[in-house]
Amino acid sequence: QVQLVESGGGLVQAGGSLRLSCAASGSISSISTIVIMGWYRQAPGKQRELVASITSTGNPNYSDSVKGRFTISRDNAKNTRALQMNSLKPEDTAVYYCNARLWSGQDYWGQGTQVTVSS
């Protein structure tokens, strides 16, 4: 079992910045098999989409809509992943979810954190 807890959402004006953090906890046998962690978002009336992810070896991946503005980072020792979001736009408004995928293919999700960007 893996538990994911997100923090750092909120309200910001367009052009501003926010930093999201996701902390993973659980059994050592599960935590040690996390192969990729990432951030997804879901806006009202839209499907959940990948924002950014990073593998356990440090390879990042970004959606085209956030490239150059968002940066995903990791702290393996603390089992945390952070998403630095700069130059935020109103279209970035969504609930952001942390995801962890284990080597087995099993997915775990956080409870979500709201990000609202005002114009």
Side-chain angles (χ1 to χ4, degrees), residues 23-44:
S25 62
S27 64
I28 296 296
S29 60
S30 293
I31 294 289
S32 63
T33 65
I34 293 175
V35 293
I36 190 167
M37 286 184 68
W39 291 92
Y40 288 71
R41 66 186 181 189
Q42 188 167 19

Side-chain angles (χ1 to χ4, degrees), residues 11-91:
L11 172 65
V12 66
Q13 288 188 332
S17 299
L18 282 174
R19 184 178 178 88
L20 305 182
S21 183
C22 176
S25 62
S27 64
I28 296 296
S29 60
S30 293
I31 294 289
S32 63
T33 65
I34 293 175
V35 293
I36 190 167
M37 286 184 68
W39 291 92
Y40 288 71
R41 66 186 181 189
Q42 188 167 19
K46 295 188 176 181
Q47 289 187 331
R48 191 172 295 189
E49 63 174 358
L50 174 67
V51 176
S53 63
I54 189 166
T55 66
S56 57
T57 55
N59 292 319
N61 179 53
Y62 299 94
S63 69
D64 288 342
S65 63
V66 306
K67 278 181 182 177
R69 300 188 297 122
F70 291 10
T71 303
I72 190 169
S73 60
R74 65 189 182 124
D75 184 335
N76 283 342
K78 296 181 180 180
N79 293 320
T80 60
R81 302 295 183 269
L83 185 68
Q84 179 66 41
M85 305 186 294
N86 299 328
S87 302
L88 283 161
K89 304 175 181 179
E91 50 263 44

